[in-house]
Amino acid sequence: MTDLTDLTIAEARDGLKAKRFTATELTEAYIGAVERGRSLNAYVVETPEKARAMARASDERFARGEERPLEGIPLGIKDLFATEGVHTQACSHILDRFKPAYESTVSANLWADGAVMLGKLNMDEFAMGSSNETSHYGPVTNPWRRQGSNATLVPGGSSGGSAAAVAARLCAGATATDTGGSIRQPAAFTGTAGIKPTYGRCSRWGIVAFASSLDQAGPIARDVRDTAILLKSMASVDPKDTTSVDVPVPDYEAAIGQSVKGLKIGVPREYRLDGVPAEIDALWQKGIDILRDAGAEIVDISLPHTKYALPAYYIVAPAEASSNLARYDGVRYGLRVPGDDIVDMYERTRAAGFGEEVKRRILIGTYVLSAGYYDAYYLKAQKVRTLIKRDFEAVYANGIDAILTPATPSAAFAIGEKAGADPVEMYLNDVFTVTVNMAGLPGLAVPAGLSSEGLPLGLQLIGRPFDEETLFRVGSAIEAAVGTFAPAKWW
Ligand code: GLN
């Protein structure tokens, strides 16, 4: 029998249903894989006993013929999602020992559909980063390596643990979040698929807040179909998150494999950037050719305010973060460093509890929101955000169904390579992805090929609000042409 961890979610679901193996056998296979994969540092907490109990319950459901859509499917959960009674620290020191008494809506939806929890996944501290190097628990190793090299590469971030665990078969699929690219960039770096749904598609309740107007949860999985399956379960309207939207959740999986004939695919000229490696352009062209050959109409489009998206994002996101992170002061959650008085205690706790990147964001955010600078920075960035949104609206009003761009400006880089003195080096990773968060749109990253060094590269599809189905449809057409990608096992 093939290794059960090689099965996609769809294959595992069908195998379980046909009683070719049990949920317990599938879960044990993953528990073993997680143990053998510890050197990747993808998990910060393993919950094998919980997984076994959930798998047993799933097997009982199968025996009664009462299985639910994700019955017995083992998943990893990003450490940003509150999981009742289980370590939830956003991979920060300041949340030491925090175990919430509640479950995030997204993870609760997954359990209600029968999924099994393997543990909590590593990530950049408070989801701030593009390489998983800001985690209090140390970096995650990308299971992919350059041809002929043993250099340790980053899996991208902030959902680096999610992407690495999926690529290395340490879970069947994973939850992730995306504020500026944290689902799509790590997916692209690891040869996995990931979707950031429309803002409001998934409830943010119980997800540690970074930048509330940009944060959205979504899945990372081995192929486009699996992301569709997971999103169906994760998405819901939720009275506990008033920004979640009451739009019916369609059967996303039904969009997989549907013809793209006649769809209008926009190719934005502003995404052709100087300094981006030729192989990224070549990959983009390959995507264009695939979709044209499949019967789509390729249309050159313009999104004129694109170049302002990254600077505006790095004002809006830190501004919201500085406000959201004010609550970590040693009083209610996690770490407390005693001081002479309460203000001294706050200061010592925050100085010891937050890492360098988080402190940088809090400083930037506090600055751009302060009297005198608010109009010059924050207000201006909000205006730019509106213009970016209008760019997309104009293009969609002209009949474009989806937009095709590269997902990242490079393949995965080495640990330490971009974590140097200039933080902008790291921020530039988000150049193709932040626009989508600023406009609240859905974005799908789909693997589309390998770099000259044998590393995965991804394309991004951007859709109309609440039209994730078109992204699944177009993404599956690209996938049908290029196949899926898995790293050679060395760990
Ligand atoms: N890399 C971006 C940042 O650091 C995006 C992170 C994210 O999407 N959570 O802000």
Side-chain angles (χ1 to χ4, degrees):
M1 191 160 74
T2 53
D3 191 332
L4 291 179
T5 62
D6 284 335
L7 302 175
T8 63
I9 291 175
E11 289 164 350
R13 175 188 64 189
D14 298 348
L16 285 164
K17 215 178 163 73
K19 305 216 170 359
R20 284 198 288 276
F21 46 86
T22 64
T24 297
E25 286 165 340
L26 182 65
T27 297
E28 289 298 340
Y30 274 108
I31 291 172
V34 169
E35 285 173 5
R36 288 188 299 277
R38 280 187 187 142
S39 63
L40 300 176
N41 204 27
Y43 282 85
V44 292
V45 169
E46 297 167 17
T47 55
E49 287 318 315
K50 206 174 180 70
R52 288 187 175 108
M54 291 171 103
R56 257 194 314 276
S58 286
D59 282 328
E60 285 163 18
R61 287 250 181 188
F62 277 115
R64 294 198 302 268
E66 288 172 6
E67 67 271 14
R68 299 160 293 180
L70 288 175
E71 199 69 63
I73 302 294
L75 302 179
I77 302 295
K78 187 178 182 179
D79 199 34
L80 206 62
F81 292 79
T83 41
E84 192 182 342
V86 177
H87 177 289
T88 299
Q89 285 189 213
C91 285
S92 179
H93 184 32
I94 209 157
L95 275 165
D96 272 359
R97 296 177 307 281
F98 179 56
K99 290 193 171 78
Y102 48 87
E103 188 78 26
S104 79
T105 298
V106 163
S107 52
N109 286 346
L110 291 167
W111 315 142
D113 272 354
V116 166
M117 175 159 108
L118 290 166
K120 298 301 285 287
L121 294 163
N122 206 339
M123 54 178 283
D124 279 300
E125 185 182 5
F126 284 107
M128 297 172 190
S130 304
S131 66
N132 217 111
E133 289 166 287
T134 73
S135 168
H136 179 58
Y137 298 93
V140 174
T141 297
N142 191 331
W144 288 84
R145 287 171 162 180
R146 293 179 184 132
Q147 247 153 35
S149 160
N150 287 344
T152 307
L153 305 183
V154 303
S158 67
S159 311
S162 304
V166 169
R169 276 104 174 91
L170 310 187
C171 58
T175 66
T177 60
D178 190 314
T179 303
S182 282
I183 291 176
R184 292 159 286 156
Q185 185 254 17
F189 275 16
T190 56
T192 56
I195 185 164
K196 180 204 92 74
T198 311
Y199 184 80
R201 180 65 292 182
C202 292
S203 169
R204 290 180 296 110
W205 195 79
I207 300 174
V208 177
F210 165 7
S212 307
S213 76
L214 301 160
D215 298 344
Q216 225 351 252
I220 293 180
R222 303 225 188 115
D223 63 15
V224 178
R225 179 184 296 274
D226 282 4
T227 60
I229 293 170
L230 289 176
L231 183 60
K232 165 94 178 140
S233 291
M234 292 167 75
S236 64
V237 61
D238 180 6
K240 290 186 291 219
D241 172 7
T242 53
T243 65
S244 69
V245 177
D246 192 5
V247 176
V249 184
D251 176 10
Y252 293 125
E253 198 181 351
I256 303 294
Q258 276 186 24
S259 167
V260 299
K261 220 181 207 88
L263 287 185
K264 282 199 168 78
I265 306 295
V267 175
R269 65 179 73 105
E270 291 80 6
Y271 282 61
R272 270 184 217 290
L273 301 179
D274 289 341
V276 168
E279 60 187 9
I280 298 288
D281 266 337
L283 182 89
W284 197 7
Q285 189 57 48
K286 180 171 147 190
I288 292 169
D289 294 342
I290 288 170
L291 295 179
R292 187 187 287 119
D293 289 350
E297 183 186 338
I298 306 297
V299 184
D300 280 321
I301 59 166
S302 174
L303 298 165
H305 297 93
T306 300
K307 66 169 176 290
Y308 305 112
L310 196 67
Y313 168 85
Y314 276 96
I315 289 172
V316 173
E320 294 187 22
S322 69
S323 164
N324 275 326
L325 272 58
R327 72 190 72 172
Y328 306 108
D329 55 10
V331 174
R332 176 154 181 196
Y333 303 100
L335 184 74
R336 175 179 302 175
V337 180
D340 298 337
D341 53 34
I342 190 158
V343 172
D344 192 42
M345 185 276 281
Y346 290 161
E347 288 176 358
R348 285 172 191 269
T349 300
R350 288 170 68 85
F354 291 132
E356 290 306 305
E357 183 58 31
V358 174
K359 284 180 189 159
R360 180 180 294 121
R361 305 288 178 110
I362 293 172
L363 288 171
I364 295 170
T366 308
Y367 179 81
V368 300
L369 288 176
S370 60
Y373 296 107
Y374 184 93
D375 289 5
Y377 294 107
Y378 184 71
L379 209 61
K380 199 172 219 170
Q382 291 291 20
K383 289 179 181 167
V384 169
R385 184 174 185 177
T386 302
L387 295 174
I388 291 165
K389 193 159 180 281
R390 281 194 199 145
D391 282 355
F392 283 105
E393 284 165 359
V395 158
Y396 290 132
N398 277 333
I400 295 296
D401 294 294
I403 296 168
L404 179 73
T405 77
T408 60
S410 73
F413 45 88
I415 290 183
E417 197 176 318
K418 295 196 180 183
D422 182 5
V424 175
E425 274 278 300
M426 193 66 85
Y427 298 170
L428 283 170
N429 269 285
D430 308 323
V431 62
F432 297 135
T433 48
V434 289
T435 50
V436 176
N437 303 74
M438 293 293 262
L441 301 172
L444 172 75
V446 55
L450 297 178
S451 73
S452 56
E453 296 179 311
L455 296 178
L457 297 171
L459 288 171
Q460 170 175 240
L461 290 159
I462 306 170
R464 297 165 179 267
F466 295 98
D467 188 18
E468 285 80 5
E469 285 167 290
T470 297
L471 301 187
F472 290 129
R473 182 170 163 192
V474 181
S476 67
I478 294 175
E479 190 177 74
V482 301
T484 55
F485 300 84
K489 194 163 178 228
W490 53 267
W491 55 92

